Amino acid sequence: MRKTRDNFHETVVSIPNRDEIILSAERFPFKATLSLSPLVTYWENKIKTDPNCNVSRVNELAGLLRQNPELLEPIEDVSIINKYIDTVDILMEDIFPSALWENDLRATVLPFHFDSFYATPRLEELDLLGGGNYTQKLNLDLKTLLFRQTLSAYTLILEKFYNANFFVDEPFIFSIKDKFTKLDRHYKLITDLKFMKVKAKGPIKKLSTQEINFLINRYNDLDLWMQKIPPENFEFSGFAIYDFTDVTNEATISSLRYDLLDQDSVTTPEGFESLQQKLRVLFGLPGLRLGLASLPELHEFDTNFTRKTWNGLVLQKDSHIKLEDLTESIYAPVLIKGNTIIVDDLEQLDETNRLEQELIKSGVRNLIIAPLHYEGKTIGMLELASPIPGELNALSTIKLKEILPLFALALNRMLDELRSSIQNIIKEKYTAIHPIVEWRFTQAAINLLDKMERNVPAEIEPIVFRDIFPLYGVSDVRSSASERNRAIQGDLIDQLVLAKEVILAAKDKLPLSILDELIYKIDKYSQNIVQELGSGDEAVVLEFLRSEIEPLFNHFTQKYPSTQKAIEAYRKATNNPNGVVYNKRRAYEESLYLINDTISSFLDREEEKAQQIFPHYFEKYKTDGLEYNIYIGASLLNSGHFEELYLKNMRLWQLMLTCEIARRIHKLRANLKLPLEITQLILVHSNPICIRFRLDEKKFDVEGADNIRYEIIKKRIDKATLRGTEERLTQPGKVAIVYTQPREAQEYRRYIDFLQAEGYIEQGVEDLEIEELQGVQGLKALRISINFQEQLRHDIDAGDELLQIARAATLN
């Protein structure tokens, strides 16, 4: 039989997250009486225990008490204390040392109450225990205050009568307004109960250890406590000593720490005002002003992302402050070096710039600007300002050091949340964004966030870049479709040959006419494939093999072992995920992959370096080869700075890159299973275009009728032929440079001369006219031959940079 446990035994205790108080009493439920008797006992014991005690002084005190017996009885009327104040003064000598009398914050009070009957002058001046309103001073509601007083009384009862140490370490913090500054000051209460006694008024109700633990685990249910330990069975007498300690700094910093965990503290006006008020308390300056602003990378300074987080003294979301305003002001050491600065009086500066003048105009005279560091980086700055010169000084930075990490953490969290919101919009509305234009997408996302916060219906704004110069290039595998078809033809023929070998092996043992018919069909399919591979031929042949040939294998194997070798050869050749002979196609695909991977990795490596020439937008697409777009221009950059020299350098770099790609693939061919070749083309377009991000396609496209022709040329130029001939414009070992204007050819001839001198290309340039394309006419081209000799003057693999070679050219 399973043993039934006592109702009060708990192995597992479930505590709700909400801290609900259960207390029906409307007043303190225990009887508490003021008595000086424990103090008299203290003096009597002192004669016995303290050899240095002044016995005559104690005897004099005993005589005074005999003359005033009212002081030995329970005191119902506190006025008796004033009646015998001289005697009480003597009794209180050890509790209130005369040397500390003027400055101590100490008082004696009725047990579990806040009205004092004896206190130091300093405490009476502060009025901490006078005038009532204790719920306001303690920032507690009446029920919570009563709960804490009652629970404290029960801890003493458990300790004395039930030998249970149950201690609640939750001090009372009194908050009052300073008489002079009108700012909050906080005082922690420490209670001494050595002059207080608790006695039982009758037999003590016994409680088991399990019952006591059951109560302790339900400390918030004092109605349950009062049922098990009725308050009317106990009485408290004597008095308590209250000691107060000024904890304004500690309480304020703790409150700041709690507030700064809330994301609204630095983003809402109410939260920011609360932080400012608490800093006024911490520094004891009622006129102190707080400012907080992020400090981004210098190139991001004027972006909306930065201003979104500005709540400074003059650095506001809608301010027109420029980067040069800060770098030429008192803020420079903070912005550039991460130093803290102190300005005693702004009006005493020899010269003031626009920003400093705005500070003075707003009433700021005295100023501290401190950097906010997070994970080794300066992410923002905190400003403290005063209208009175000299109020904030170097000593103020001692307190400031305690709170700067808190503000840095809050600012970083705010920036992370903003970045997260922006990225969510970018991922939803756009796609993966190239870093060079990310600032514009971020700006659009912030603008949308602003409208959403104001509950203004809005669509994401269009992303358009005007006056952009395009560069386009393509490295295409020559006759890739034909090579793929040849690979398919070869594999199908090989598989048909293997199938025929199986049927012939079976026919030797089984001379059936149906086998002759299968051989006939195999030969017919083979002849058709050799002549030409139609679009559906592969599917037809595979269906024939799987439905008419392969099902015979098991029967042949069991009945005619001589077919085993041919069947195993067929199965081995088709033992792959595709279930077909895949040798030539695998060779084609592996060769194509190696070519594309070589081009792509080299292009990525060199393009990343080319960002140093001038930041630009880059995108690439893999097909049977690789094509790429480059866009360069002022509107792509937040700074908006652009020179034509950068475009020329990019064009020369692109031509050198194209030559280097050709050389690498030429060298790679020796390692390819199928020696494929590539052709290369560059399209020149000198007139600036406009590009727009297409939300539906998640990519950039040209904008406007004039620019569409450029896109048409890109789509059709790879199949172009020379005028009056069938010769393709693009040829292995050569680079075709397509252009429309004579000045473009003139510019590229300069690059060609330079690269001939460098050894990249052979001497001689072909001037070509291109056959009219659908919707496009008047195209011309320069065609050059790559120099494939082993060594050049520059060795890219050994560390020479295309970038440096391009920069060495004289392009002006």
Side-chain angles (χ1 to χ4, degrees):
M1 181 176 179
R2 186 177 180 182
K3 182 179 179 181
T4 303
R5 290 181 172 177
D6 189 286
N7 289 337
F8 293 101
H9 185 92
E10 293 182 298
T11 303
V12 178
V13 181
S14 178
I15 301 175
N17 286 331
R18 60 184 186 278
D19 195 11
E20 183 182 358
I21 293 172
I22 302 175
L23 177 61
S24 300
E26 296 182 356
R27 52 177 295 183
F28 186 66
F30 295 93
K31 182 178 181 181
T33 306
L34 175 61
S35 172
L36 298 183
S37 178
L39 184 57
V40 174
T41 303
Y42 166 80
W43 282 106
E44 290 174 345
N45 290 335
K46 192 167 185 177
I47 295 176
K48 301 174 184 177
T49 59
D50 186 358
N52 297 320
C53 178
N54 189 334
V55 177
S56 61
R57 181 69 169 166
V58 175
N59 288 333
E60 179 186 353
L61 180 62
L64 289 172
L65 290 172
R66 283 192 292 273
Q67 296 172 19
N68 306 303
E70 287 179 284
L71 293 176
L72 298 176
E73 302 296 327
I75 299 173
E76 299 291 342
D77 184 2
V78 180
S79 63
I80 292 176
I81 300 295
N82 292 328
K83 181 179 177 181
Y84 301 107
I85 191 63
D86 292 338
T87 302
V88 172
D89 284 341
I90 297 172
L91 285 171
M92 295 290 180
E93 277 184 355
D94 272 20
I95 299 174
F96 296 87
S98 57
L100 305 176
W101 174 254
E102 294 296 333
N103 295 317
D104 258 6
L105 299 176
R106 184 173 294 188
T108 52
V109 299
L110 177 69
F112 305 106
H113 292 72
F114 293 110
D115 293 320
S116 69
F117 63 89
Y118 196 86
T120 61
R122 177 106 172 96
L123 184 62
E124 289 183 338
E125 180 186 350
L126 289 175
D127 203 22
L128 282 171
L129 295 177
N133 297 325
Y134 295 116
T135 57
Q136 184 177 346
K137 292 177 182 178
L138 291 165
N139 194 25
L140 298 172
D141 61 81
L142 185 59
K143 185 176 182 179
T144 303
L145 177 58
L146 183 59
F147 167 81
R148 290 183 58 180
Q149 290 174 307
T150 305
L151 187 62
S152 295
Y154 271 118
T155 62
L156 296 177
I157 292 171
L158 286 180
E159 180 181 8
K160 181 171 182 179
F161 298 103
Y162 295 98
N163 196 30
N165 292 321
F166 174 51
F167 181 66
V168 180
D169 186 15
E170 189 175 5
F172 285 111
I173 303 293
F174 284 72
S175 298
I176 61 171
K177 296 287 183 184
D178 187 278
K179 291 182 179 179
F180 301 102
T181 65
K182 305 302 179 184
L183 297 173
D184 286 340
R185 297 205 67 80
H186 307 287
Y187 298 88
K188 179 180 178 181
L189 171 60
I190 300 173
T191 305
D192 187 344
L193 301 178
K194 65 184 175 186
F195 294 109
M196 189 176 71
K197 296 180 179 179
V198 56
K199 66 179 181 179
K201 299 165 82 173
I204 302 297
K205 181 180 178 180
K206 292 187 177 181
L207 295 175
S208 66
T209 302
Q210 288 81 8
E211 287 177 299
I212 292 172
N213 287 334
F214 187 85
L215 290 175
I216 291 174
N217 287 332
R218 286 158 181 78
Y219 69 91
N220 61 318
D221 187 356
L222 289 188
D223 284 353
L224 177 63
W225 284 63
M226 287 191 286
Q227 291 176 20
K228 298 295 180 181
I229 309 175
E232 58 270 19
N233 293 346
F234 300 91
E235 179 180 355
F236 292 90
S237 63
F239 60 90
I241 302 171
Y242 282 1
D243 262 318
F244 290 89
T245 304
D246 190 334
V247 292
T248 300
N249 286 359
E250 294 88 336
T252 302
I253 292 174
S254 176
S255 181
L256 280 170
R257 182 179 291 107
Y258 181 82
D259 284 355
L260 288 169
L261 290 174
D262 183 359
Q263 65 179 20
D264 292 337
S265 61
V266 291
T267 57
T268 64
E270 298 78 14
F272 199 79
E273 177 61 33
S274 175
L275 293 176
Q276 180 173 258
Q277 188 62 25
K278 286 173 182 176
L279 288 176
R280 288 171 175 172
V281 171
L282 182 63
F283 287 90
L285 301 175
L288 182 137
R289 289 171 56 191
L290 168 67
L292 188 67
S294 64
L295 283 182
E297 300 293 335
L298 296 183
H299 66 273
E300 295 179 339
F301 185 86
D302 291 323
T303 63
N304 283 2
F305 177 84
T306 300
R307 296 176 185 274
K308 181 79 176 173
T309 60
W310 281 3
N311 199 353
L313 300 175
V314 292
L315 292 179
Q316 297 289 328
K317 297 174 186 177
D318 57 352
S319 66
H320 300 290
I321 301 297
K322 300 294 183 182
L323 178 59
E324 54 267 25
D325 293 328
L326 260 74
T327 55
E328 297 173 0
S329 73
I330 54 174
Y331 286 81
V334 184
L335 183 68
I336 299 172
K337 297 182 180 180
N339 295 340
T340 298
I341 69 158
I342 304 168
V343 182
D344 188 64
D345 187 357
L346 279 169
E347 291 191 1
Q348 298 300 315
L349 295 177
D350 295 334
E351 295 182 4
T352 56
N353 72 351
R354 172 191 168 194
L355 188 147
E356 293 153 354
Q357 291 165 6
E358 287 192 26
L359 284 171
I360 295 172
K361 187 177 179 180
S362 68
V364 174
R365 295 282 298 276
N366 181 211
L367 182 66
I368 291 180
I369 309 170
L372 296 175
H373 299 295
Y374 187 82
E375 293 184 348
K377 294 183 179 180
T378 302
I379 64 168
M381 61 182 173
L382 182 141
E383 304 163 297
L384 294 180
S386 169
I388 301 173
E391 271 198 333
L392 294 165
N393 50 48
L395 293 178
S396 305
T397 61
I398 298 175
K399 289 183 180 178
L400 195 58
K401 288 178 181 177
E402 296 184 66
I403 62 171
L404 288 179
L406 305 178
F407 277 91
L409 188 64
L411 180 60
N412 185 71
R413 189 182 66 248
M414 179 176 68
L415 291 171
D416 281 346
E417 289 167 356
L418 178 57
R419 291 187 191 103
S420 178
S421 299
I422 291 169
Q423 287 303 314
N424 287 339
I425 291 176
I426 290 175
K427 288 176 183 177
E428 177 187 350
K429 301 293 183 180
Y430 308 119
T431 184
I433 302 301
H434 193 280
I436 195 64
V437 293
E438 187 175 357
W439 67 272
R440 183 61 187 90
F441 289 85
T442 299
Q443 186 180 67
I446 288 176
N447 292 340
L448 182 62
L449 279 177
D450 286 338
K451 292 174 183 176
M452 291 168 62
E453 289 172 359
R454 300 197 307 269
N455 293 320
V456 177
E459 293 289 334
I460 192 74
E461 63 191 59
I463 304 295
V464 180
F465 296 103
R466 304 186 186 281
D467 297 327
I468 299 302
F469 294 94
L471 291 86
Y472 172 76
V474 57
S475 298
D476 194 22
V477 174
R478 184 59 179 267
S479 304
S480 58
S482 300
E483 293 289 349
R484 185 185 293 108
N485 280 343
R486 279 196 287 271
I488 295 172
Q489 284 175 307
D491 283 338
L492 285 177
I493 290 173
D494 287 348
Q495 192 166 345
L496 286 169
V497 169
L498 290 170
K500 184 176 179 180
E501 292 292 332
V502 174
I503 302 301
L504 288 173
K507 190 173 180 299
D508 289 341
K509 300 294 182 181
L510 187 66
L512 297 176
S513 298
I514 189 65
L515 297 182
D516 290 328
E517 194 268 342
L518 288 176
I519 292 172
Y520 167 76
K521 291 181 73 174
I522 290 173
D523 289 341
K524 185 177 180 180
Y525 280 131
S526 297
Q527 291 171 6
N528 290 339
I529 291 172
V530 168
Q531 291 175 3
E532 183 181 2
L533 181 67
S535 59
D537 288 351
E538 180 181 8
V540 171
V541 170
L542 292 177
E543 175 62 24
F544 162 69
L545 292 170
R546 287 167 180 167
S547 62
E548 298 190 41
I549 303 296
E550 293 176 7
L552 301 174
F553 288 176
N554 289 337
H555 175 72
F556 288 167
T557 302
Q558 294 172 6
K559 296 291 184 179
Y560 310 106
S562 61
T563 64
Q564 182 72 32
K565 184 177 179 181
I567 291 173
E568 286 182 357
Y570 183 97
R571 286 176 170 169
K572 182 178 179 181
T574 58
N575 184 23
N576 55 65
N578 300 294
V580 298
V581 174
Y582 212 78
N583 298 326
K584 292 179 174 60
R585 274 173 287 190
R586 184 179 295 108
Y588 169 80
E589 290 175 358
E590 289 179 1
S591 298
L592 183 64
Y593 171 79
L594 284 173
I595 288 173
N596 279 338
D597 185 63
T598 300
I599 296 173
S600 180
S601 59
F602 180 69
L603 182 58
D604 286 342
R605 188 189 84 181
E606 296 303 318
E607 190 279 329
E608 183 178 351
K609 298 174 184 176
Q611 292 285 349
Q612 301 173 35
I613 297 178
F614 192 79
H616 57 274
Y617 182 88
F618 172 79
E619 59 185 0
K620 65 180 180 180
Y621 309 95
K622 283 187 179 181
T623 54
D624 285 347
L626 188 139
E627 62 179 294
Y628 59 88
N629 290 312
I630 295 175
Y631 298 118
I632 184 171
S635 64
L636 289 172
L637 306 178
N638 190 39
S639 65
H641 177 69
F642 176 74
E643 297 290 345
E644 186 180 359
L645 176 66
Y646 301 127
L647 175 61
K648 292 180 177 181
N649 259 305
M650 285 297 294
R651 285 174 171 170
L652 174 57
W653 168 83
Q654 181 192 22
L655 185 54
M656 294 179 63
L657 178 79
T658 305
C659 295
E660 188 65 35
I661 288 173
R663 288 174 53 80
R664 288 169 183 269
I665 301 304
H666 179 76
K667 187 181 296 184
L668 179 69
R669 289 188 69 207
N671 299 320
L672 298 178
K673 292 181 178 179
L674 191 62
L676 300 173
E677 294 184 300
I678 66 167
T679 62
Q680 303 214 84
L681 178 143
I682 291 173
L683 176 59
V684 184
H685 191 82
S686 294
N687 295 329
I689 65 172
C690 174
I691 59 174
R692 175 189 289 265
F693 189 85
R694 305 292 182 188
L695 289 173
D696 51 349
E697 299 179 12
K698 306 295 185 185
K699 67 170 189 173
F700 279 104
D701 203 354
V702 295
E703 178 87 344
D706 293 340
N707 299 321
I708 292 177
R709 183 172 182 269
Y710 172 71
E711 285 295 310
I712 293 175
I713 295 174
K714 281 169 52 178
K715 289 179 171 61
R716 298 174 181 169
I717 193 65
D718 63 322
K719 299 293 191 291
T721 59
L722 303 186
R723 175 166 291 185
T725 73
E726 296 296 322
E727 183 184 345
R728 291 281 294 272
L729 169 64
T730 54
Q731 295 292 330
K734 298 186 178 185
V735 177
I737 305 168
V738 179
Y739 65 95
T740 58
Q741 301 178 33
R743 61 187 175 89
E744 294 169 343
Q746 183 180 3
E747 177 182 344
Y748 271 81
R749 283 187 178 278
R750 293 177 56 194
Y751 306 152
I752 292 170
D753 288 342
F754 174 73
L755 293 185
Q756 286 174 338
E758 292 291 326
Y760 273 96
I761 58 180
E762 303 284 357
Q763 295 297 317
V765 179
E766 296 178 81
D767 280 293
L768 308 171
E769 292 189 9
I770 300 174
E771 190 67 60
E772 182 176 329
L773 303 174
Q774 183 183 355
V776 179
Q777 56 185 346
L779 294 181
K780 296 183 178 182
L782 301 175
R783 195 163 65 183
I784 54 178
S785 298
I786 308 297
N787 179 9
F788 290 119
Q789 70 181 38
E790 286 298 315
Q791 295 295 329
L792 296 179
R793 190 159 63 90
H794 296 283
D795 188 347
I796 304 304
D797 290 327
D800 289 346
E801 298 283 353
L802 288 175
L803 180 65
Q804 297 300 329
I805 301 169
R807 282 176 170 171
T810 303
L811 301 177
N812 291 328

